[in-house]
Amino acid sequence: MNIVVFGAGGRAGRQIVAEAHRRGHRVTAVVRDPASHGDLTDVRVVAGDVTDETGVAHAAAGHDAAISAAADLSVPPHEFFTASARALTTGLVKAGVRRLAVVGLASIMPGASGAPLMDEPGYPNEYRAFYLGHAAGLAVLQECALDWAYVTPAGDFDHAGTRTGRYRIADHADPDSRITYADFAVALLDEIEVPRHRRAAVSIREA
């Protein structure tokens, strides 16, 4: 497949690019500044802004699927995640790309109680604005015509772990769950290759 990855320079994005390349897909890695990502090798690296509809359409043209692992902490979360979701949902349609997977956040997914994890007792909320920004971006996806999947870790990422190639679909978000970026990338590429969750959010946990 031809896969375009927005936010390819981040921790999740790099592992997604690596996993897609490992599987033999042709990858376009979209980053803000290609000159600062010389380590993204064996893939096509282009400059792009995931909040710019025209730029999204240009970068995605000729691709079979798109993945967004983009975040910009210099912009208010609500502004960034709604703008990027709108640009993706309109730009990808213009480019003729129908399948989108977005790297999401466990905090807005239902926890064991059925309420969003961020609303469960004891859950840390010092980054609540970031959580709500993600929720607003997901709301934009829910109104679009694309075939999308919103894929989140069940809890958080294991920043030091290595690839096992295994994962499980989680029953609910779990703040104690940890999955490596590499294993999360395995799950996300599986979802791109053989979609199981259409216009839906899904949580991934360690095997």
Side-chain angles (χ1 to χ4, degrees), residues 82 84-93 97-102 136-150 198-200:
T82 55
S84 61
R86 289 190 188 102
L88 285 164
T89 55
T90 54
L92 293 177
V93 169
V97 178
R98 304 302 301 171
R99 181 63 173 169
L100 168 67
V102 175
L138 176 56
V140 173
L141 286 181
Q142 290 167 335
E143 297 298 321
C144 81
L146 282 176
D147 179 13
W148 56 268
Y150 185 84
R198 297 185 180 275
R199 300 182 56 77

Side-chain angles (χ1 to χ4, degrees), residues 83-167:
S84 61
R86 289 190 188 102
L88 285 164
T89 55
T90 54
L92 293 177
V93 169
K94 287 182 177 180
V97 178
R98 304 302 301 171
R99 181 63 173 169
L100 168 67
V102 175
V103 177
L105 195 68
S107 307
I108 68 173
M109 299 291 282
S113 71
L117 199 59
M118 64 182 177
D119 292 334
E120 291 196 334
Y123 193 77
N125 266 291
E126 60 266 35
Y127 302 112
R128 192 172 182 86
F130 190 69
Y131 310 159
L132 294 175
H134 266 277
L138 176 56
V140 173
L141 286 181
Q142 290 167 335
E143 297 298 321
C144 81
L146 282 176
D147 179 13
W148 56 268
Y150 185 84
V151 187
T152 83
D156 201 353
F157 288 108
D158 173 358
H159 296 267
T162 57
R163 184 183 188 275
T164 69
R166 300 188 306 275
Y167 64 90

Side-chain angles (χ1 to χ4, degrees), residues 3 26-27 29 33 37 49 53 57 63 82 86 96 98 112 119 136 149 157 161 175 186 191:
I3 301 173
R26 293 173 295 277
V27 181
D33 179 16
H37 295 289
D49 178 358
E53 171 188 328
H63 291 79
T82 55
R86 289 190 188 102
R98 304 302 301 171
D119 292 334
F157 288 108
V186 171
E191 188 64 43

